[in-house]
Every structure is written in structure tokens, then in C-alpha cells.
Amino acid sequence: MQQASLSIWGWGSLGVVLFLVTFGPFAIFYFAFYVLCFVGGGFVVTLLFGKTNSEKYLEQCEHSFLPPTSTGIPKCLEEMRREGRMIKIDRRLTGANIIDEPLQQVIQFSLRDYVQYWYYTLSDDESFLLEIRQTLQNALIQFSTRSKEIDWQPYFTTRIVDDFGTHLRVFRKAQQKITEKDEQAKGSAEDLVETFFEVEVEMEKETCRDLVCTSPREEEGFLRDLCEVLLYLLLPPGDFQNKIMRYFVREILARGVLLPLINQLSDPDYINQYVIWMIRDSNCNYEAFMNIIKLSDNVGELEAVRDKAVEELQYLRSLDTAGDDINTIKNQINSLLFVKKVCDSRIQRLQSGKEIDTVKLAAHFGKLCTVPLDSILVDNVALQFFMDYMQQTGGQAHLFFWMTVEGYRVTAQQQLEVLLSRQRDGRQQTSQTKGLLRAAAVGIYEQYLSEKASPRVHIDDYLVAKLADTLNHEDPTPEIFDDIQRKVYDLMLRDERFYPSFKQNVLYVRMLAELDMLKDPSFRGSDDGDGESFNRSPTGSINLSLDDLSSVSSDDSVQLHAYISDTGVCNDHGKTYALYAITVHRRGPNSDEIWKTYRRYSDFHDFHMRITEQFENLSSILKLPGKKTFNNMDRDFLEKRKKDLNAYLQLLLTPEMMKASPALAPYVCDFLENKAYSKGKGDFARKMDTFVNPLRNSMRNVSNAVKSLPDSLAEGMTKMSDNMGKMSERLGQDIKQSFFKVPPLIQKTDSDPEHCRVSAQLDDNVDDNIPLRVMLLLMDEVFDLKERNQWLRRNIKNLLQQLIRAAYGDTINRKIVDHVDWMTSPEQVADSVKRFRDAFWPNGILAETVPCRDKAIRMRTRVAGKTKLLEIMPDELKHIIGAETTRKGILRVFEMFQHNQLNKRMVYVFLEGFLETLFPQYKFRDLFNKLHSRSKQMRKYKQRLQTGQPPSLQKR
């Protein structure tokens, strides 16, 4: 065994040695590789053979035991394997190429930025994108076709105005509720929003949009539901049944188009910037800016303005200047210091909770500016307050008698002039005309002076008897009531019950506020300045009440001196004009103040025209230097004019002049106040007044008088108008329509007018044109004229009628229709689409999300927006409804736009009205009620109705 084992190992070793000698040392590796290749090849052959046999077996089993495959799947696979064929899309949408081109770009950009960026990661097939594009185009085609069939005039002239007016009414009532809840503590923005939607439920009854406006999740759900309904109406049934396609289009419209657009339109900062842009041509007025600062109740606004003033102060103080520039910089520094001081004072008052009503403060402060009775009787704004007071004291008969006699005198004069004209033409109507005059005079006597009159004007019996005797034995004349009218005027002027007591009443203070003759006494300055003197306006001097300055006429211990200290040439927006620096020195027993104010020659000219119109005796005493058309900027000429204007001022301020005309003091003091001078009428308007004033005064006097006439007297005077000549007959008809048959602006309804929509109070039967009703509705809500007496509101209506007829005549309705057609014309629609495209895709690129602007910048934008709005208000409007009412109305509208949730509500209201107009055959109103049915306020309101609790008594 051992020999055999050795033999095996020997032979084996020999074989290995011979193998290595023959094939080399790497032969062992080649051998191993050949073995592995042999084994691997056998495994692969076995696997392929088994796979082929298995497939044959499974195919036999499938055909033997399974049901046949559906023909749709192979057909779908076959379609997918085919090459994608080109799909042609008709690019026509609206039939107008100028609209279709930007619309196609909007569709292309929307698909690119909202679909393609993720779709191409899944597939390269273009057919899906083309189908979506075709679906969008079908919807736009249906929308365009439907829009062309709609008359948009009612929507733009009535529906939008009604929605805006109702929104403003809800906001005003919400503010009133917040104020009534706690007069001392100012409600937060959250309280205002919650109260707003409470009032909306009470007014709308079936709808409240609180969830949509306050919850982003609910808002997205509302837009999805709305878009799905619109797709159902606009898409062919086949496209709408395709859920995937419908959901894609719905999301694009809801979240890609509507939601960003609504968010932008409801952003208060965007609205403020848009307001400033709209009135960009109007320059900011210093007086309007300071009024906004003094009236602001937002600490953020005041701090933003103050910080900007401090920043500008630091910059100006760092400048190294000399010469003439140093005076300009000093004036700028003084102005900024004054602005900073006012802001600090206002912030301190707001934070300390000591904010009080200016009217209440002035009512208890002491002396007030004196407005003569004769000025009150000829001013619309002042007369309404005096009328309210006379009604409270039972003296309205005296006032109405005076007004009625004024109207009678004008009408009688007109009748007699017509009578003389007809007599010259050979037409005799003497007896008839005199009979009508006698009837009118007897009517006044019976209404106010007879023993049966109630209330009766108590006057000397001998005057009444004399009048009765004249009426019985003589022909009436325009001056037949003059003696009694003067007696009634003296009675109202001197009787302690009437005018003297009126000056001590809070209504008088409110009248001064409306006339813009009441300054905030709380701004009277102290001497605790910041260590720097105010060359332009000493501390507190700019905010003196008008009475403090006008006291020079009644208090000899107070003296007012003024002189022109310097003159210069200014350039403002390319216009060059001379400016005169007036140094005003007010010296009193306990104070000695100096300030500067700046006036142009045109300001002097306007002031001179004002006072000479009011005080005719001054026209022969005061002589203003004449105008010069050429070389009026020459230095020598300016010096000469400076001397002449100085002489004019010195003559005007002499004690003899002021004592001779006590009522002149308010005009002088207003002119010398350190503020922007508010001009009255231009030269053209003054020249026109020489022709228009007689007619205007006649119309005004007749309007004042006729409202208090009995029906029989009104009919008599109407008959008198019918007998006039052609021109007088037309005037009489205007008087008749404007004053005898004027319906109230707000018609009486069975429900509370404050708890219904604005449109519910419009009388469709009133023969008024479209713009008049629109303007009345807006003015009623913006300025809250329902709180004013009907006399003022009729005056407003009459004035608006005259303005509209004077501007447009009888073609106003035609112009409104033309304007609506222009707004819906292809050119304007194309322009709107282009603006939308450029806003969302500037230069064809999706706009980035605009970063939220700094709070201080947004606050300053608010101040600038309010200043602009307050500045563009015409003086004529202030003269009609009052300066204070105008300011409150404008600021109320501006404040309404400062709440994002409330702006969203208004946008959605406009959108709902648009869809209701576009699809009148569908019950969109019911649909919106269902979509808003989840509102919390609606549930609370229905619970209150079920329990029988009045909504107005519900405590939040």
C-alpha cells in the first residue's frame, strides 16, 4: 500500500512537472477558466431552453382556461405605439384678433408655468397638453359668445354702484356699532371685521361671506366649486366628463389665476398705491397733509411719518451749504421739526387715551369765530344748522317766513318783468298776473301771520293790520312784506332765544367745523420746543383757531401786523412764479408771536376779489397793484410790486378799517394763516358769475322759500310760472320740477332702510337720468346724508341736476351708453387682457412673488393716499355739504379699503354680480347662498330668528 501510494504521488508529481514544463506556469489559470466557461455555457443553454418551453406552456394554459382579452386594451396599446400625429388647434377665440393674440399668450404662459414643468418629467407626449389647451379655448369661446349677448349697461351703471354702496353702508354701520359699544376704547381690526359680517347677515338676510374672506382653506374650496360650475356651463359635455382634464383646468383657474388676482386686488397696500397712481397729477398740499396728521388715529402712521422726518432732518443737517441755499435748508428743517412735533403730540395723546372730539372740545373752550346772521341765511351749509336749531326752539316759523318772503320777492319781480314785456308786445294779462300775485301774497299771510296760522309769527299788530289793509285795497308788489321781514330778521338777530343762543349751542360749533372755520384747540402750542426756533411757524402759531386771529377786530388789546419781508422766484413743475414772504406779528396781553406765510400774487388777487365782493365799500378804498403780462419776473418789477402790496396790507390792517367792517377779520386772518391758501373762484368763474349770479340767486331763494309753502300757495306759484314768456316759462318749469315735486332721496319702505340694500331704496319710477341716481346714491352713503335734514338733501339733488344738465344736457343717458360700449369694446378688452398678461408675466416670464413691503413704507403710503384724496375734493362740494362732512366721508371710504378681509368681500360681491349678469337664466343667486351656507354668522343669525331675538339686540 505504501509503495502504491508513493507511486501515485510520484506519477502525479511527474505529470504536474511535465505540464508546467510543457504549458508554462500560467497554464493552471487557463485550465480553470476553461472549466468555468464550460459550466456557465451549460447553465445558459439550460435556462433558455426552459424559458421557451415555459412560455409555450403558459400560452397554452391561457387560451385553454382564461376568458378572452378585451379588444380595447390591444387597441389602446396599438394607438400608443403609433407615432404622434399633429393636432391642429383653431386659435380663434373671440372673433377679434386684437383680443385673441394676448389671450393665446396667456393660455400658453399658463400651461408652460403650471403644467409643462412637471408633465415633461412624466411623458413627452404632447397630446395631453394640446387637449388641455383645446379645453381652455372652448371655455373662452363660450364665455366670449355669452358676453356678446349681454347688455352690460345695467351692471356698470346700477349693479356695481349698488354693491359698492351697500358695502359702504355695512362698513358704516359696523363702525357705529363699535363706537356705541365703547366710546372710549377704540375697537381692534378683528372686532371691526367680525362686526362687519354680523351687519352683513342682518342686511343680506340669506348670505354671509365671512368664511370665504377670513379662511384661506374655505376660500380655495369656494373657488374650486365655482370654477367647476363654470366649466360645466362652458365646456362641451365630453370634456367636462373627463375628470382628469376637468380637475387640471379647475386648479389652473382657481389657484393659478383667480386666487392670485383676488389677493392682489384686495391688498390694502396695492389699493393705496393705485389711488396715488390714479391722482398722480395732483401735487401734495401742505395743509391737507397736516390735516391728515392731526386727524390720524393710527399710531403706526404717525410713527412712520415721524421717523421719516427725523431721517430727513439728519440728512439736511449733514449738508455743508452757504449762500442762498442755507435759507432754503433752514426753512425745510423748520418744517420738518414742526411735523415731528405734531406727530409726537398726536402719538402721546393716542397712547395716553386722552383723545377727545374736537367739536366737543371747542364747544367748551371759550371764544369761537363769529359768523353773522346774514351770512348764515345765504349759505347752504350754515343755514341747515340754523334751521335745525330754530326747529328745536320753536322758532322755525320766523325762519320759514323770512325764506318764503325772499322767494316771493324774486318770483313777483320776475312776473312783473314778464308782464311789462308782454304789455310792450301788445298782449294784456294784467288782471290775471296780479290776481296770481295777490293769491300768493294772501297765502303767505294766511300761513304765517293770520290768527289761524299755526305756528304763527308773532309781530307787531299794527304791521300785520297794515299788511292786511294793503292786501285788501292795493295791488301786491314785490316789496309788500319788506317791513315785516326786516322786523322778523331783527327779532331772530336780537332775541336771546334765537341767534344769540344759537352761537352758544353745539350746533353752532358743528356749523363752524363744516365751514372749516374751527381749528383743533388742543394743538395750541407751548414753549417746550426742541431747542430750535421755528422761523416759518413758531410753536403753536400755525394751529391757532380762527377766532384767536380775528379777535383783533373786537379786542383792542390784541394787535395784528403784517408786512412783506422778502420776495423770490420759484419754479414748480416747469411753472415760474413770484412768491412773497409775509411776516405776521400777533401781539396780545400774554403772548407775542411771529410767523411767516408765503403767498403768490394770484393769492392776493383772489383775496381782493373775495373781500370786495362781500364788502362793496372796500372796492373804492383798497386798490390792488395791477397785473403785468411780460417781464413780470424782473427784479426791479418785483421790488416795486412788493412795496405796492405792502402798502395794500398796511391799509387793510389799519384799526379804522377793521372796526368799520368787523366781518372782514375772518377773511384777513384766513389769508395770513400759515397754511396753503385755499382759493375761491378763478377769473373765468368770477366773470361768469356776473351773468349767472342773478339767476342762481333767484333759484336759490326760490328753493329756500318754496319748501315751507302750503300746497295751495305752491299750486298758485306754479300757475304763475306757466304764464311766463318762453324763457321764463322754461325757468318756471325747472323750478317746478326741482322744488315743488322733488321726491325724497330715500323712499319710505316698510322695513328699516338701514337694514336693507341700497338699491331697495331707489324708486325706479322717478324721472331721473342714470348718472343723477348714481351720484345721489353714492353721496348718500359716502357722506351719510340721511342724517341731514331734507332741505339740504333736496338742495344737493337740485345742484346735481343742474350740474349734469349744464355739462351734458339731455344727452347724458346716450353718453353713458356710449361709455359702457367703449368699456366693453374689443380695444378696451384687449387692453385689459394685456395688462393682466404683463402683470403676471412681465416680459413673458412668470412674475415672482412680490415681497411684502416694509411696514413703515406701507404706513407712509397710507398717509400719502389720504392726503391725495383729501386734496382733490372740490371746494364746491365742501360748500354744499360742509368741510367736516366731506373729510369724514372721504376718510371713511379710505378706511374701508384698509382691511384685507373686507376688500375680499367686495371683490367677491362684484364677481357674483358679474356671473349673475352673465348667466341670468341660471340660479346663481341660489348657488352662492348654498356655497356660503356654512357661514358661522349665518348659523347664529338663523338661531336668533328661531328664538325670536331681534338681530340688533344680539350681544356679541
Side-chain angles (χ1 to χ4, degrees):
M1 288 293 295
Q2 186 175 3
Q3 291 180 353
S5 177
L6 291 173
S7 175
I8 293 172
W9 281 102
W11 285 105
S13 300
L14 180 62
V16 170
V17 171
L18 292 176
F19 180 81
L20 292 175
V21 171
T22 304
F23 297 102
F26 295 99
I28 187 65
F29 299 104
Y30 295 126
F31 179 75
F33 175 74
Y34 295 151
V35 172
L36 289 175
C37 288
F38 176 78
V39 174
F43 178 78
V44 170
V45 171
T46 304
L47 181 63
L48 292 176
F49 179 77
K51 180 177 181 296
T52 303
N53 289 338
S54 298
E55 289 178 351
K56 291 181 179 180
Y57 179 75
L58 289 176
E59 185 176 359
Q60 293 175 359
C61 292
E62 181 180 0
H63 288 290
S64 300
F65 306 106
L66 297 178
T69 306
S70 174
T71 57
I73 296 177
K75 185 176 181 180
C76 181
L77 294 175
E78 182 181 356
E79 290 289 338
M80 293 178 64
R81 292 190 185 99
R82 292 180 182 178
E83 288 189 9
R85 61 181 184 273
M86 296 296 295
I87 300 179
K88 295 183 179 180
I89 296 181
D90 190 355
R91 299 180 65 86
R92 293 175 297 179
L93 299 175
T94 64
N97 292 331
I98 57 176
I99 302 178
D100 294 346
E101 181 181 353
L103 268 181
Q104 288 290 352
Q105 292 179 345
V106 170
I107 295 175
Q108 178 182 349
F109 294 154
S110 300
L111 293 176
R112 180 195 66 189
D113 295 325
Y114 294 111
V115 179
Q116 290 180 4
Y117 81 96
W118 59 263
Y119 176 75
Y120 281 143
T121 62
L122 303 178
S123 173
D124 295 332
D125 188 15
E126 297 282 347
S127 59
F128 176 73
L129 298 176
L130 294 176
E131 291 293 340
I132 291 183
R133 189 186 188 101
Q134 185 64 54
T135 301
L136 289 174
Q137 291 194 174
N138 291 337
L140 289 174
I141 291 172
Q142 292 296 323
F143 179 84
S144 173
T145 304
R146 187 66 201 159
S147 299
K148 295 176 183 178
E149 300 172 356
I150 299 299
D151 180 15
W152 291 104
Q153 177 185 332
Y155 174 75
F156 286 107
T157 59
T158 304
R159 178 62 186 265
I160 285 184
V161 179
D162 173 40
D163 290 336
F164 179 80
T166 302
H167 185 83
L168 182 59
R169 174 176 293 181
V170 175
F171 179 76
R172 177 171 52 80
K173 288 180 65 64
Q175 282 187 322
Q176 292 174 355
K177 279 194 171 185
I178 293 292
T179 304
E180 293 171 359
K181 179 182 176 182
D182 191 347
E183 294 185 356
Q184 298 298 326
K186 179 178 173 62
S188 63
E190 292 77 11
D191 293 337
L192 179 61
V193 171
E194 184 178 355
T195 307
F196 178 92
F197 288 111
E198 287 181 4
V199 177
E200 182 191 20
V201 175
E202 298 176 5
M203 189 168 295
E204 297 283 355
K205 300 296 189 295
E206 298 178 351
T207 305
C208 184
R209 303 168 182 84
D210 56 339
L211 282 182
V212 175
C213 299
T214 58
S215 172
R217 180 179 177 182
E218 293 290 339
E219 183 181 13
E220 291 183 5
F222 173 82
L223 289 177
R224 288 193 184 99
D225 294 339
L226 183 61
C227 290
E228 193 148 353
V229 172
L230 292 177
L231 292 177
Y232 172 78
L233 297 175
L234 298 175
L235 291 181
D239 291 342
F240 182 78
Q241 295 300 328
N242 188 340
K243 291 186 177 181
I244 297 178
M245 184 79 66
R246 184 170 81 239
Y247 291 161
F248 272 118
V249 177
R250 183 192 70 182
E251 292 299 314
I252 291 175
L253 291 178
R255 302 196 61 182
V257 178
L258 289 180
L259 188 60
L261 181 62
I262 292 173
N263 288 335
Q264 182 177 15
L265 293 178
S266 58
D267 182 17
D269 189 51
Y270 172 80
I271 296 176
N272 296 338
Q273 294 179 64
Y274 187 75
V275 168
I276 296 175
W277 178 82
M278 286 286 291
I279 49 181
R280 59 190 179 278
D281 295 333
S282 174
N283 297 325
C284 285
N285 183 281
Y286 176 77
E287 182 182 8
F289 171 72
M290 293 309 303
N291 282 336
I292 291 299
I293 296 298
K294 297 171 188 176
L295 295 174
S296 176
D297 55 0
N298 189 309
V299 177
E301 292 179 359
L302 298 170
E303 290 178 344
V305 174
R306 181 194 61 187
D307 294 343
K308 188 64 177 179
V310 172
E311 179 182 340
E312 291 294 325
L313 280 171
Q314 293 175 350
Y315 170 75
L316 291 175
R317 285 168 173 165
S318 65
L319 296 178
D320 185 13
T321 57
D324 295 337
D325 293 339
I326 191 65
N327 295 325
T328 303
I329 292 178
K330 283 183 178 181
N331 290 334
Q332 294 177 357
I333 291 177
N334 291 333
S335 298
L336 291 172
L337 286 172
F338 179 69
V339 171
K340 178 178 177 297
K341 183 176 181 63
V342 173
C343 290
D344 288 335
S345 175
R346 185 70 178 163
I347 292 172
Q348 183 179 1
R349 289 171 58 192
L350 291 174
Q351 292 178 343
S352 63
K354 296 181 180 180
E355 177 66 9
I356 56 178
D357 189 359
T358 302
V359 174
K360 294 180 180 179
L361 180 63
H364 298 86
F365 192 79
K367 297 184 301 179
L368 294 171
C369 182
T370 300
V371 181
L373 179 60
D374 54 353
S375 299
I376 293 177
L377 293 176
V378 297
D379 186 271
N380 284 328
V381 177
L383 183 56
Q384 60 150 326
F385 287 99
F386 188 58
M387 187 181 298
D388 291 341
Y389 175 77
M390 294 294 281
Q391 289 176 342
Q392 293 177 6
T393 58
Q396 68 271 21
H398 298 76
L399 179 59
F400 291 161
F401 172 79
W402 188 92
M403 296 164 59
T404 305
V405 171
E406 285 290 304
Y408 168 81
R409 180 187 298 108
V410 174
T411 305
Q413 290 174 351
Q414 292 174 347
Q415 285 290 79
L416 294 177
E417 289 175 2
V418 172
L419 179 61
L420 292 175
S421 175
R422 293 194 174 190
Q423 286 178 347
R424 287 193 296 266
D425 295 340
R427 292 177 292 175
Q428 298 292 333
Q429 290 183 340
T430 305
S431 59
Q432 183 181 3
T433 302
K434 291 182 178 180
L436 292 175
L437 286 175
R438 183 182 301 278
V442 170
I444 297 176
Y445 174 83
E446 294 291 340
Q447 177 73 15
Y448 295 104
L449 301 174
S450 68
E451 295 181 356
K452 299 179 181 179
S454 178
R456 182 185 180 189
V457 176
H458 296 283
I459 209 70
D460 296 340
D461 293 337
Y462 78 93
L463 290 176
V464 177
K466 180 181 177 181
L467 174 64
D469 183 70
T470 303
L471 289 174
N472 291 328
H473 300 92
E474 299 179 12
D475 293 333
T477 62
E479 298 81 14
I480 191 171
F481 293 101
D482 283 3
D483 293 339
I484 299 180
Q485 188 188 29
R486 281 193 294 269
K487 194 68 176 180
V488 170
Y489 177 84
D490 292 337
L491 182 65
M492 291 190 297
L493 179 64
R494 293 180 171 81
D495 195 319
E496 287 296 331
R497 297 174 299 165
F498 303 141
Y499 178 68
S501 297
F502 173 62
K503 293 193 295 183
Q504 307 299 324
N505 193 276
V506 67
L507 286 174
Y508 184 79
V509 183
R510 290 177 56 192
M511 181 194 74
L512 294 179
E514 295 293 355
L515 296 175
D516 208 15
M517 300 175 70
L518 180 68
K519 303 299 178 181
D520 189 350
S522 61
F523 275 95
R524 296 173 183 270
S526 60
D527 295 330
D528 54 346
D530 293 332
E532 296 193 35
S533 63
F534 292 83
N535 294 333
R536 280 193 63 194
S537 55
T539 305
S541 65
I542 198 171
N543 290 292
L544 292 174
S545 68
L546 195 58
D547 183 62
D548 290 333
L549 293 176
S550 61
S551 61
V552 64
S553 62
S554 59
D555 188 356
D556 294 335
S557 61
V558 178
Q559 298 179 356
L560 186 66
H561 303 280
Y563 65 93
I564 300 178
S565 57
D566 196 8
T567 182
V569 178
C570 297
N571 188 290
D572 185 13
H573 293 81
K575 296 181 179 180
T576 303
Y577 56 88
L579 199 63
Y580 300 92
I582 305 175
T583 301
V584 184
H585 186 188
R586 181 179 182 272
R587 182 178 301 166
N590 301 319
S591 62
D592 191 6
E593 298 169 327
I594 300 176
W595 68 90
K596 281 189 178 182
T597 187
Y598 298 88
R599 296 288 179 260
R600 299 173 57 177
Y601 174 80
S602 59
D603 298 333
F604 278 94
H605 184 268
D606 182 86
F607 169 71
H608 179 75
M609 296 293 290
R610 279 190 183 185
I611 61 176
T612 52
E613 283 181 359
Q614 295 293 328
F615 311 95
E616 296 181 358
N617 59 319
L618 295 181
S619 58
S620 59
I621 303 175
L622 291 173
K623 300 297 181 182
L624 187 71
K627 291 185 177 181
K628 184 179 180 181
T629 305
F630 303 102
N631 297 326
N632 54 9
M633 295 295 121
D634 182 70
R635 189 66 186 175
D636 295 336
F637 172 76
L638 292 180
E639 286 297 328
K640 181 179 181 302
R641 175 174 283 179
K642 171 185 171 182
K643 294 179 181 179
D644 294 339
L645 291 176
N646 255 328
Y648 177 86
L649 278 178
Q650 302 313 313
L651 179 59
L652 180 67
L653 293 175
T654 56
E656 294 78 9
M657 182 76 71
M658 304 301 288
K659 290 180 180 180
S661 303
L664 177 64
Y667 295 92
V668 176
C669 298
D670 180 69
F671 181 74
L672 296 179
E673 262 195 294
N674 191 342
K675 65 177 184 179
Y677 180 64
S678 177
K679 291 186 179 181
K681 306 172 184 176
D683 292 339
F684 178 76
R686 294 184 184 279
K687 294 176 182 178
M688 290 299 296
D689 278 351
T690 59
F691 301 98
V692 177
N693 271 336
L695 177 60
R696 183 183 60 191
N697 292 334
S698 299
M699 296 286 288
R700 181 182 60 197
N701 293 333
V702 173
S703 68
N704 293 341
V706 168
K707 295 175 181 64
S708 58
L709 294 178
D711 295 337
S712 60
L713 181 58
E715 293 174 358
M717 294 183 69
T718 304
K719 293 178 181 178
M720 292 168 58
S721 298
D722 294 336
N723 292 324
M724 292 182 178
K726 292 183 179 180
M727 183 178 298
S728 299
E729 183 176 357
R730 185 175 300 172
L731 175 62
Q733 290 298 326
D734 289 340
I735 295 173
K736 176 182 174 182
Q737 294 175 4
S738 300
F739 303 120
F740 286 94
K741 297 183 178 180
V742 173
L745 300 185
I746 301 300
Q747 302 294 326
K748 294 183 179 179
T749 58
D750 296 333
S751 59
D752 183 3
E754 285 293 290
H755 290 82
C756 60
R757 292 181 63 86
V758 172
S759 60
Q761 300 164 341
L762 284 178
D763 188 358
D764 294 333
N765 297 323
V766 177
D767 187 18
D768 284 333
N769 50 38
I770 294 172
L772 178 62
R773 291 194 297 166
V774 169
M775 293 173 68
L776 291 175
L777 186 147
L778 288 179
M779 290 189 67
D780 228 4
E781 292 304 320
V782 171
F783 302 109
D784 196 14
L785 298 180
K786 291 175 292 300
E787 301 297 328
R788 316 297 283 271
N789 55 40
Q790 289 295 323
W791 177 84
L792 173 70
R793 302 176 72 211
R794 286 193 180 101
N795 273 353
I796 295 173
K797 177 167 185 173
N798 296 332
L799 177 67
L800 291 177
Q801 284 177 329
Q802 295 172 17
L803 289 177
I804 292 174
R805 288 171 181 167
Y808 301 102
D810 298 330
T811 63
I812 181 64
N813 285 334
R814 181 67 258 173
K815 292 183 180 294
I816 290 293
V817 173
D818 293 341
H819 186 71
V820 173
D821 292 340
W822 174 78
M823 291 173 60
T824 56
S825 64
E827 292 78 8
Q828 289 302 309
V829 174
D831 186 64
S832 300
V833 175
K834 290 178 181 177
R835 286 200 298 266
F836 174 81
R837 176 200 62 191
D838 296 338
F840 279 80
W841 292 279
N843 299 322
I845 302 174
L846 182 64
E848 298 181 358
T849 302
V850 179
C852 184
R853 300 203 307 165
D854 182 72
K855 180 181 178 181
I857 297 178
R858 288 186 282 117
M859 290 294 104
R860 288 194 290 270
T861 304
R862 286 184 54 170
V863 174
K866 286 192 285 188
T867 304
K868 287 278 191 179
L869 284 177
L870 208 59
E871 182 186 358
I872 65 172
M873 286 299 103
D875 291 337
E876 290 77 9
L877 183 63
K878 298 178 183 178
H879 297 160
I880 298 171
I881 63 177
E884 186 70 14
T885 299
T886 303
R887 274 195 295 266
K888 287 183 178 179
I890 295 302
L891 295 181
R892 180 187 297 116
V893 174
F894 186 86
E895 181 63 26
M896 181 183 69
F897 286 113
Q898 305 311 308
H899 302 274
N900 184 272
Q901 298 92 334
L902 307 190
N903 294 338
K904 280 191 176 182
R905 188 261 180 193
M906 187 164 58
V907 173
Y908 281 116
V909 168
F910 289 160
L911 178 61
E912 293 172 9
F914 176 81
L915 294 177
E916 290 178 29
T917 305
L918 187 63
F919 302 100
Q921 70 274 29
Y922 301 107
K923 299 180 180 179
F924 259 94
R925 184 71 268 158
D926 296 337
L927 172 65
F928 290 130
N929 291 341
K930 292 180 180 179
L931 293 178
H932 296 304
S933 60
R934 295 190 298 270
S935 167
K936 297 179 182 178
Q937 296 292 347
M938 278 298 302
R939 290 199 295 268
K940 293 180 182 179
Y941 179 74
K942 292 179 180 179
Q943 291 175 0
R944 294 198 298 268
L945 292 180
Q946 293 174 357
T947 57
Q949 183 179 4
S952 59
L953 299 180
Q954 170 69 11
K955 295 182 179 179
R956 294 195 301 109

